[in-house]
Amino acid sequence: MLTYNIEKNSKKLLYLQLYENIKNDILNLKIKDKLPSKRSLANHLNISVITVENAYNQLIMEGFIYSVPKKGYYANKGIQKQIKPIIKKQNFNENAKFLKEKNLLNLSFSTNSEPSFPLSTWKKLLREVLSKNSDEIYEKVPFNGTLKLRLAIKKHLYEYHNLICDENNIIIGAGSQHLYTLISQLLDKDLIYALENPSDTKIGKIYKSLGVKCVFLDIDKSGMSYEKLLKSSASIAHISPSSHFPTGILMKAKRRSELLKWASLKENRYIIEDEYMGEIRQKIVPTLKSLNHEKVIFLNTFSKTLLPTLRVSYMALPSNLTLKFKQNLSFYSSAVPIFEQLTLAKFINDGYFERFLNKLKRQNLIKKEGFLNKFKELSINNSDVTFNETHAFIKSNLSDDKVKQLASKNGFFINTMSDFYYKNAPKNSSFLIDYNCNMENVKKFLNILL
């Protein structure tokens, strides 16, 4: 029987603790075959069956285990082969443990100056949920998430994005990766996905691990190349038109129209509008979803705006895909605990989320202005520096490997633009500096390079 130390007083949710323990044992080949039943494992660890069920569902979503009807749950014996190429190259989201072990200071992705999450408010709302919704917290959560949260998201989309969306078309997920998994199962298996090059390469790694065939299309100053998309065999375009990462490019209106026209040419074509950074732009722009509801899957997460540990995301599907999801995938249980869903719904409905976003944008603007003012003190040619809303890109005459070696040798970690390319990475590209970083550390690093 699997034995783990599940800390009930920990801030980390119980199902996440169990999920991480089982995942690590599978990766280390400590679990090679059948897992215990939900009830027996719950009794053994003195936790609820729901906790085990949520952990098993998360493992199924990510491909670490699979279930056989009337037989039980089994470890995926091929998962090690899938995971190895995924973790071979680290990106800015995957190197946290590496940086901690090496005691390196990340200059490309920092959270040192993020505004404080209103934890006291969250606790107050959670207490209200537990005291005033005593019956509801014992009910089974619908496959697409609790109605209260879907209605709150519908309200937020209308008031913040001017996007009218039916709550029945909203699906709640445990993070964007969870939603990518559901999307790949929802759409036809033989469809090819077009991804932006460069972009957050984790997206492509997730799709590839799920068996999805991808093509990587270069971007220009307006976003994903329309001409290259037309020439490709792709049926799905996964893009971030409101705030491309890492460049920060805002897709121009003409390009948006071209991509929507492309999607409308064939029945099985769709655009995945990944809005995960768009809500912190100083100016909110219209969504592609608002221009064509039936050809755009709108996807967003609260992890980028509220807390990285708050694994709650959502997608708004076209009506025909909602019907298909209900027919084919509604057997999945909701992977987000009811407590988090109800608390987040109150957080949105009571106006806390919008106020937090406004605060976040104000502080981002202040940080950027402060960074620009201090940057003028450095002896760097202005033509070698590009600024977007979250990062500065600085050109270097050194190779990417040399920049990283010098950074590591002096206690820093740095991402270069080549880290975000699937192909055709520039030989001497820029490296990224996050506005949250301490300017003295930035100066020290730049003096090493100059």
Side-chain angles (χ1 to χ4, degrees):
M1 180 64 70
L2 304 179
T3 300
Y4 302 118
N5 181 25
I6 305 297
E7 299 179 9
K8 296 185 178 181
N9 295 325
S10 172
K11 293 181 179 180
K12 182 175 288 188
L13 296 170
L14 298 183
Y15 90 93
L16 287 178
Q17 295 182 50
L18 180 59
Y19 150 78
E20 290 174 355
N21 279 302
I22 296 176
K23 181 182 75 171
N24 290 334
D25 279 357
I26 292 174
L27 291 175
N28 293 321
L29 294 175
K30 294 180 181 179
I31 302 176
K32 299 180 181 180
D33 198 14
K34 188 176 182 180
L35 280 76
S37 70
K38 292 180 290 186
R39 188 170 299 279
S40 63
L41 183 57
N43 290 336
H44 178 67
L45 298 178
N46 194 25
I47 56 179
S48 71
V49 175
I50 295 297
T51 297
V52 179
E53 182 179 15
N54 285 336
Y56 278 9
N57 284 338
Q58 186 69 22
L59 291 162
I60 289 173
M61 293 294 183
E62 298 184 12
F64 289 98
I65 67 175
Y66 62 94
S67 64
V68 178
K70 298 182 179 181
K71 290 188 177 182
Y73 298 87
Y74 295 83
N76 186 345
K77 295 181 180 179
I79 194 67
Q80 290 79 16
K81 295 180 180 180
Q82 294 179 1
I83 293 297
K84 285 181 180 178
I86 298 175
I87 62 175
K88 184 177 180 180
K89 184 179 178 182
Q90 295 171 320
N91 66 23
F92 73 98
N93 275 331
E94 296 170 331
N95 56 38
K97 184 177 179 181
F98 169 78
L99 298 181
K100 185 176 181 180
E101 291 175 350
K102 299 295 183 180
N103 198 28
L104 299 181
L105 181 63
N106 194 336
L107 297 180
S108 293
F109 190 75
S110 174
T111 58
N112 292 340
S113 301
E114 284 189 356
S116 299
F117 176 73
L119 189 58
S120 59
T121 299
W122 188 266
K123 289 180 178 179
K124 182 192 75 171
L125 298 178
L126 178 57
R127 287 194 296 270
E128 291 179 11
V129 165
L130 294 174
S131 61
K132 297 179 181 180
N133 298 279
S134 56
D135 293 334
E136 192 170 5
I137 61 176
Y138 292 106
E139 295 177 1
K140 181 177 176 61
V141 183
F143 70 93
N144 52 353
T146 181
L147 178 60
K148 285 187 176 180
L149 181 53
R150 287 184 282 119
L151 286 171
I153 290 172
K154 173 184 177 180
K155 174 177 177 287
H156 169 69
L157 290 175
Y158 176 70
E159 295 179 350
Y160 202 78
H161 294 275
N162 197 28
L163 172 58
I164 300 174
C165 185
D166 190 322
E167 66 273 13
N168 295 314
N169 292 334
I170 295 174
I171 309 291
I172 309 298
S176 296
Q177 298 176 36
H178 177 200
L179 294 184
Y180 299 158
T181 303
L182 293 178
I183 289 172
S184 68
Q185 296 179 45
L186 175 63
L187 301 177
D188 294 340
K189 298 296 183 183
D190 58 345
L191 298 182
I192 297 174
Y193 290 50
L195 306 184
E196 297 165 313
N197 185 52
S199 66
D200 181 355
T201 54
K202 180 185 285 188
I203 298 173
K205 292 173 183 178
I206 292 171
Y207 281 140
K208 281 191 170 183
S209 73
L210 296 169
V212 175
K213 186 175 181 181
C214 300
V215 294
F216 309 107
L217 306 183
D218 294 338
I219 65 169
D220 54 28
K221 293 181 179 180
S222 293
M224 179 181 283
S225 170
Y226 173 61
E227 289 75 16
K228 292 184 178 180
L229 182 59
L230 280 177
K231 294 177 182 178
S232 76
S233 53
S235 297
I236 310 297
H238 189 132
I239 59 177
S240 295
S242 296
S243 186
H244 174 267
F245 184 84
T247 65
I249 288 174
L250 172 63
M251 184 174 285
K252 304 297 189 295
K254 180 182 178 182
R255 183 62 52 82
R256 290 167 179 253
S257 297
E258 290 172 339
L259 295 189
L260 288 172
K261 179 182 177 182
W262 166 85
S264 299
L265 291 177
K266 291 187 179 181
E267 183 179 355
N268 65 345
R269 284 183 179 175
Y270 294 98
I271 294 173
I272 300 173
E273 183 178 12
D274 202 335
E275 184 73 355
Y276 73 109
M277 293 290 283
E279 285 191 329
I280 63 173
R281 288 192 68 90
Q282 294 302 318
K283 183 180 179 181
I284 299 297
V285 296
T287 64
L288 290 176
K289 180 72 172 177
S290 64
L291 301 176
N292 191 326
H293 279 268
E294 296 309 311
K295 281 296 181 178
V296 179
I297 300 170
F298 183 87
L299 189 150
N300 207 346
T301 179
F302 294 97
S303 303
K304 294 291 184 182
T305 49
L306 291 178
L307 281 176
T309 53
L310 185 65
R311 306 305 299 166
V312 185
S313 56
Y314 65 92
M315 59 181 174
L317 296 174
S319 299
N320 64 317
L321 290 184
T322 298
L323 179 61
K324 186 177 179 181
F325 191 101
K326 188 174 182 179
Q327 292 173 340
N328 299 337
L329 298 176
S330 59
F331 62 87
Y332 279 126
S333 299
S334 177
V336 182
I338 184 66
F339 308 109
E340 288 188 9
Q341 294 197 40
L342 293 176
T343 304
L344 181 55
K346 285 187 66 64
F347 192 80
I348 296 171
N349 287 330
D350 293 352
Y352 294 109
F353 183 48
E354 184 174 358
R355 289 196 291 272
F356 183 81
L357 285 177
N358 291 334
K359 175 184 177 182
L360 180 64
K361 291 195 289 186
R362 286 196 303 270
Q363 293 204 4
N364 282 348
L365 185 59
I366 292 172
K367 286 184 290 186
K368 179 179 179 179
E369 291 176 347
F371 190 94
L372 293 175
N373 290 333
K374 291 182 179 179
F375 205 84
K376 293 177 182 178
E377 303 172 8
L378 302 175
S379 302
I380 297 180
N381 192 325
N382 289 338
S383 62
D384 291 335
V385 185
T386 305
F387 300 96
N388 70 12
E389 294 201 11
T390 58
H391 290 80
F393 302 88
I394 304 173
K395 293 181 181 179
S396 172
N397 293 325
L398 302 176
S399 67
D400 289 353
D401 288 341
K402 186 63 176 178
V403 168
K404 292 182 177 182
Q405 289 173 6
L406 286 173
S408 179
K409 183 179 179 180
N410 290 276
F412 298 108
F413 177 87
I414 204 77
N415 275 118
T416 62
M417 278 297 292
S418 60
D419 292 328
F420 304 99
Y421 278 82
Y422 295 101
K423 62 176 186 176
N424 303 327
K427 293 182 179 179
N428 292 301
S429 63
S430 307
F431 56 88
L432 281 67
I433 299 291
D434 192 303
Y435 296 144
N436 286 318
C437 292
N438 182 287
M439 199 61 192
E440 293 305 314
N441 290 325
V442 174
K443 288 182 180 180
K444 179 180 176 181
F445 173 67
L446 293 178
N447 286 332
I448 293 169
L449 296 183
L450 296 176

